[in-house]
Amino acid sequence: MKLISENVFLKDYYFYRAGGAARYLACPKTIQELSGILEWRQKKGISYIVIGAGSNVLFSDDLFEGLVIVLEGLNRWIIRSSNRVICGAGVPLHSLIEFTALSGLAGLENLYGIPGSTGGSCLMNAGAFGTEISDNLEKVEVLGSEGKVFKLSREEIEFGYRKSSLDGYIVLSAEFLLKYADPLSLRKKIDLTASKRDEKQPVESCSCGSVFKRPENNYAGTLIESCGLKGLRIGDAEVSEKHANFIINRGNATSSDIYRLIKYVKDTVYSQKGVLLEEEVKLINF
Ligand SMILES: Cc1cc2nc3c(=O)[nH]c(=O)nc-3n(C[C@H](O)[C@H](O)[C@H](O)COP(=O)(O)OP(=O)(O)OC[C@H]3O[C@@H](n4cnc5c(N)ncnc54)[C@H](O)[C@@H]3O)c2cc1C
């Protein structure tokens, strides 16, 4: 089976559905396939990046000269042993949470609706409504730069706000220790979380979620809104009317439209409010 494709448009591989193409692209499903791909790229001396579900990235409109490894299909399995759950990196976070809720295991419900993969969410330390994925994490299995697979315990990983020291590793799976709870009440909780998201976020549009991290003692959305930027457009990129910290692709935005709007918002908030916003979205090949 051909594992590596050449000259592939990237818009089908990430949420923004904007510009960009990769010289090489691979979508491994197993660690063996992933290792083979990494060996191939090492022999060729090609640079690479990994993405998961692509819900927090923006590629530039330029050709990415290296290899993009899409991990969304990697290790699509979940194993449960009493209140311990091991989940492959490619499993969508919502599938993991559906599974744990149905199994009567609590701890992840607030993260329901974050559209990332489990691996990408560990790297980002994804969080919502007061919970971060690292709160219930016990171990992460990774592939290191030397090509070795090993486990890192929670204590060996540094987690911060939307960041972790997992950068540089490829996350293969994650192990969670959860608390027993009533499955029905967990179902209610995840439904409530989903409706809170629907109410506040433009979940129907292509975006990367929050463009900027939350600044200290403030909210990026509030600052952007108070600068009067809601609804502002560059090309087909728009500051969402529903949530000012979301920049959406109305259909035909280029990455350059989105990028220029991000920069414009950042500059405006800085000049009007004196707050330097930091991007949460990972900007690639700009
Ligand atoms: C509508 C919407 C709502 C969102 N709401 C939230 C929210 O409430 N809270 C929140 O925290 N985020 C939110 N996000 C952002 C995003 O969903 C999270 O950051 C998510 O955890 C990213 O996972 P991913 O698999 O999509 O990662 P990607 O976007 O594919 O990648 C993000 C980063 O992780 C790295 N990466 C991905 N997979 C792996 C892996 N297996 N091993 C190593 N590195 C990897 C990539 O290299 C990249 O640096 C939202 C996004 C959208 C579109």
Side-chain angles (χ1 to χ4, degrees), residues 138-203:
E138 281 276 292
K139 283 180 200 139
V140 176
E141 185 183 42
V142 295
L143 183 66
S145 51
E146 316 275 274
K148 285 205 172 63
V149 174
F150 55 95
K151 286 186 180 167
L152 293 168
S153 68
R154 167 72 183 77
E155 293 69 38
E156 289 172 293
I157 309 166
E158 273 175 45
F159 287 102
Y161 173 66
R162 303 297 174 266
K163 63 177 182 188
S164 74
S165 58
L166 291 167
D167 247 329
Y169 294 111
I170 296 182
V171 176
L172 303 174
S173 66
E175 188 171 328
F176 300 91
L177 189 63
L178 302 166
K179 293 195 173 63
Y180 290 107
D182 167 41
L184 261 182
S185 70
L186 292 176
R187 181 72 247 179
K188 278 191 193 143
K189 217 171 158 194
I190 62 176
D191 288 345
L192 187 69
T193 307
S195 58
K196 277 198 253 175
R197 275 182 185 276
D198 287 353
E199 201 185 302
K200 294 202 172 116
Q201 300 178 357
V203 288

Side-chain angles (χ1 to χ4, degrees), residues 50 52-56 71 115-117 120-121 123 126-127 162 169 171 197 207 209:
V50 298
S55 62
N56 200 43
L71 298 174
S117 64
S121 299
L123 181 118
R162 303 297 174 266
Y169 294 111
V171 176
R197 275 182 185 276
S207 79

Side-chain angles (χ1 to χ4, degrees), residues 5-286:
S5 311
E6 280 184 57
N7 300 320
V8 182
F9 284 111
L10 290 168
K11 69 177 192 170
D12 290 338
Y13 295 91
Y14 74 108
F15 272 53
Y16 253 133
R17 299 191 60 79
R23 176 71 70 206
Y24 303 102
L25 182 126
C27 304
K29 292 197 165 43
T30 61
I31 297 177
Q32 288 72 17
E33 286 183 359
L34 174 61
S35 301
I37 290 160
L38 288 169
E39 265 172 42
W40 172 86
R41 78 99 212 160
Q42 194 160 27
K43 272 189 207 134
K44 293 240 175 200
I46 294 167
S47 65
Y48 77 99
I49 54 151
V50 298
I51 61 168
S55 62
N56 200 43
V57 292
L58 176 66
F59 286 91
S60 80
D61 293 318
D62 299 331
L63 179 71
F64 179 76
E65 282 292 354
L67 165 69
V68 175
I69 305 179
V70 182
L71 298 174
E72 201 187 6
L74 180 79
N75 286 348
R76 284 266 191 151
W77 44 255
I78 302 176
I79 300 168
R80 177 193 169 189
S81 167
S82 55
N83 60 336
R84 201 170 281 279
V85 172
I86 308 178
C87 179
V91 175
L93 201 53
H94 69 84
S95 305
L96 169 64
I97 299 169
E98 297 267 358
F99 173 86
T100 53
L102 202 63
S103 310
L105 295 175
L108 300 173
E109 311 74 66
N110 283 346
L111 308 179
Y112 193 72
I114 297 178
S117 64
T118 300
S121 299
C122 288
L123 181 118
M124 291 299 303
N125 192 19
F129 305 115
T131 301
E132 289 180 333
I133 198 163
S134 55
D135 294 347
N136 298 284
L137 204 57
E138 281 276 292
K139 283 180 200 139
V140 176
E141 185 183 42
V142 295
L143 183 66
S145 51
E146 316 275 274
K148 285 205 172 63
V149 174
F150 55 95
K151 286 186 180 167
L152 293 168
S153 68
R154 167 72 183 77
E155 293 69 38
E156 289 172 293
I157 309 166
E158 273 175 45
F159 287 102
Y161 173 66
R162 303 297 174 266
K163 63 177 182 188
S164 74
S165 58
L166 291 167
D167 247 329
Y169 294 111
I170 296 182
V171 176
L172 303 174
S173 66
E175 188 171 328
F176 300 91
L177 189 63
L178 302 166
K179 293 195 173 63
Y180 290 107
D182 167 41
L184 261 182
S185 70
L186 292 176
R187 181 72 247 179
K188 278 191 193 143
K189 217 171 158 194
I190 62 176
D191 288 345
L192 187 69
T193 307
S195 58
K196 277 198 253 175
R197 275 182 185 276
D198 287 353
E199 201 185 302
K200 294 202 172 116
Q201 300 178 357
V203 288
E204 63 294 339
S205 304
C206 299
S207 79
C208 64
S210 297
V211 172
F212 298 104
K213 293 185 181 182
R214 191 182 158 179
E216 234 180 282
N217 305 321
N218 219 322
Y219 291 97
T222 310
L223 289 165
I224 297 165
E225 190 172 348
S226 64
C227 290
L229 297 175
K230 261 191 172 178
L232 183 76
R233 283 173 70 166
I234 293 184
D236 234 6
E238 181 183 284
V239 178
S240 166
E241 292 278 5
K242 205 167 177 184
H243 191 312
N245 197 20
F246 280 57
I247 289 181
I248 59 170
N249 177 356
R250 292 177 51 94
N252 293 309
T254 60
S255 295
S256 163
D257 294 337
I258 298 166
Y259 183 73
R260 283 187 296 139
L261 193 52
I262 292 173
K263 292 294 156 215
Y264 185 85
V265 168
K266 187 171 172 168
D267 290 349
T268 307
V269 169
Y270 186 62
S271 64
Q272 288 193 22
K273 306 286 172 190
V275 178
L276 185 61
L277 294 175
E278 185 193 343
E279 289 85 358
E280 182 170 325
V281 58
K282 301 277 186 184
L283 301 167
I284 303 171
N285 203 25
F286 281 91

